[in-house]
Amino acid sequence: MSRVLVGVKRVIDYAVKIRVKPDHSGVVTDGVKHSMNPFCEIAVEEAVKLKEKKFIKEVVAVSCGPTQVTETIRTALAMGCDRGIHVEVSGKDYEAMGPLQIAKIFAALAKKEEASLVILGKQAIDDDCNQTGQMTAALLDWPQGTFASEVTIDGEKVKVVREIDGGLETIKISMPAVLTADLRLNTPRYATLPNIMKAKKKKIANMKPADLGVDMVSRVEVLRVDEPPTRLAGVKVETVDDLVAKLKANGTI
Amino acid sequence: MFPASRYSIQAQRCIRALKTVQAEHAPPQHYTWRRNCSSAVMPRITSHYTIFPRDKDPRWEGVEMERFADEADVVIVGGGPAGLSAAIRLKQLAKEQEKELRVCLVEKASQIGAHTLSGACLEPSALNELFPDWKERGAPLNTPVTEDLFSILTEKYRIPVPMLPGLPMNNHGNYIVRLGHFVHWLGEQAEELGVEIYPGYAAAEVLFHEDGSVKGIATNDVGIAKDGSPKDVFERGMELHAKVTLFGEGCHGHLAKQLYRQFNLRENCEPQTYAIGLKELWVIDEKKWRPGRVEHSVGWPLNRNTYGGSFLYHLNEGEPLVALGFVVGLDYTNPYLSPFREFQRWKHHPFVAKTLEGGDRIAYGARALNEGGYQCLPKVTFPGGMLIGCSPGFMNVPKIKGTHTAMKSGMLAAEAIFPKVTAEDPASETAGLHIPEYEDNLKKSWIWKELYAVRNIRPSFHNYFGLYGGMVYTGVFYWILRGKEPWTLKHAGLDSAQLKPAKECTPIEYPKPDGKLSFDLLSSVALSGTNHEGDQPPHLTLKDDSIPVANNLAIYDGPEQRFCPAGVYEYVPLETGEGMRLQINAQNCVHCKTCDIKDPSQNINWVVPEGSGGPAYNGL
């Protein structure tokens, strides 16, 4: 029947204070607490729920990166995915990896695994790109249901309620399709210890981007990473005239 | 009232003292007013099931409470130096003797090392025994100690004290380490040897056989809402059963607290006494960096009757990093004392400020540590389990080192357990194995000799001259006589009983943080990376919700708002009417355990929150 691919990304935990590397080439990641991107957790939960409701048969968790990402795949397996795929990317390729490269990998895997749905988080909390889902759909020429806050499968079609600036938009798209999960889609379940133990027995396949015919060359080069400028203290003024005088003095008006 | 000129100098002094006491003594009606208002309707604070059992709670009717269970040979609670050394030693013995052994280790932090905090100057004695080839294996001992300074600080000056060989604090041959990284490395070695390590799962409950021996542990339940009711995602924790369970929860573990009562392990020892250690990591100006330099100080800003001091270690790991911190003995008497603010204040001393000027603070954390030593060692074995590491408390206080003894205790536990757990017929009276050989091994080891030799140094501070009396005692009896004196001094008793009522003490005027050398509490807590799932019952449980305002605030002016290094406890005005209530910001907790130790009412019981919550220390 149907198979779903779920993408999971290993990111620096949201509660950790980020530190820029002394050479300004990036942020410090060594030894820093990492966890699964919160939107990816929601995507996994949705996929597992669809499987529990018997709309789909198999959920495959996919992650791209160095060996550490297997921990993230294991968490997805503990939440209920059936098997995992680890696309090995390390070193310079990993640092330069962006949404386009991931989208190419997912497009290739979706075709290879004959997936009927690709479910991703709407964006990652480290780069906030919000591009991978959309790019994957474009490369596959599949319909996309992004910012999903409700997903219902109706035969060969998917009804998606999308969170947009103006409110909620309901669309019906045909499968195969790409969906990206927004915050209110569901509440992810915990990866409990018995499930982590069972997950150790589930298979994680290893492959390289080259095996999928994907070239990892990035057309984006990061020149420099800086901390945001320290916010200066505000100045309180007593009257409106004071305010106007200050704004004139600093050249704003 | 007292015409001063008519009295002698002594009388004038006496009169001045009396006037000060009168000024501090608040009028009695102030306290009656507060006591009346504490009977106002207080919002409920505690909702944890350890205080309000779920079998009597109607919201839990019909909820599936069955737990999945698994069997191992040995289960270890706590992935610190002791727990990991025990696991490693067990697997090393299994490999040597070609026997199969299932060893499972649970750790509440999200990754091994994330809740580890220490100075630290590591004495490699235990490591040399565990892994003689640690250097080839890449153990992160990158900074051998090159310089050792000790000072007595006054407000503006520094009195250097020679670090003679033979003094307990002499660090020749030791390494400055980032203990979190070292523990992480130990975790990797353990996994390679086949230990099953489960970070992110806290041991929340001790399980017992019918005969009263320990059967194992159960991990925390997940998905309980803040008000104590079950959420949709509620799931029971898992039971891990073992022939022997090792408890290595570190200083003042919450399960250990329960075990002391259950098995009466503390009937022949003194109550443990503690200190709180606060630590920061700074990247400093390269010109000021002296890799391998160890600096310790006592004196300012603490008075001579408050035990404590500082450390500042220059690491050698690439960037100009220093690890610095401040320790305050939790037997302090003034409820207005704030260990965090003493730490921030100390950094302004000219001798310290000159190293830190132009630098950046990159990490912060805090943890309680043991100060009791030999006199406070409980019985460490009981049917079905044993205590290892800082949990019973093998720290050598004057040396300020506990990692090597913790590791050794883990190794000795493993060596005592191994023959019993792999034997065909364990020949035990109880279902959970009782292995008293561990305690015998401890008593024959260098841990015991070390702790015995320094047993009188910490208690010697309890004299009129405080710090100075203690230093003189150390000089005479330890440095010259090596601790061979025939007597054993006693500690002062429970730390929580040492606070004097607020009205007998003077509030301390702390300087405002300047944002460059000293900082405020909340920005420091943010640097610890601590976080917890917000929608869960506060894990700082109160046996009685009304006691904080009625007792802690009324008599001691709420010392928990000052001793908590993470801003968990706040007395805020009631929304309606007069009076204050205690607000517990459980999400800030850094798992230091100071509140459980120092609460004068002993009303706070720290229990473990959902696993993977807590600080996210990186190499602290």
Side-chain angles (χ1 to χ4, degrees), chain A residues 174-216:
Chain A
S174 38
M175 299 216 271
V178 174
L179 304 175
T180 69
D182 205 327
L183 198 59
R184 279 156 279 269
L185 181 56
N186 58 49
T187 309
R189 66 195 63 190
Y190 288 84
T192 53
L193 187 55
N195 290 324
I196 288 274
M197 288 179 166
K198 283 187 207 147
K200 289 208 168 165
K201 303 195 183 89
K202 293 184 183 174
K203 290 207 74 191
I204 299 183
N206 271 347
M207 53 185 77
K208 293 210 160 56
D211 301 339
L212 297 164
V214 170
D215 104 68
M216 294 297 282

Side-chain angles (χ1 to χ4, degrees), chain B residues 379-444:
Chain B
K379 211 161 151 302
V380 291
T381 64
F382 43 89
M386 41 181 72
L387 299 167
I388 56 176
C390 275
S391 184
F394 298 109
M395 181 163 148
N396 181 329
V397 177
K399 242 192 200 177
I400 338 175
K401 289 177 183 53
T403 312
H404 63 309
T405 46
M407 286 174 72
K408 181 68 176 166
S409 71
M411 290 155 65
L412 288 172
E415 286 160 10
I417 293 173
F418 187 77
K420 294 293 174 84
V421 124
T422 49
E424 288 302 321
D425 171 24
S428 172
E429 292 172 349
T430 49
L433 300 177
H434 186 189
I435 307 177
E437 284 81 350
Y438 165 52
E439 192 149 352
D440 299 331
N441 289 358
L442 274 176
K443 294 198 169 126
K444 292 187 220 139

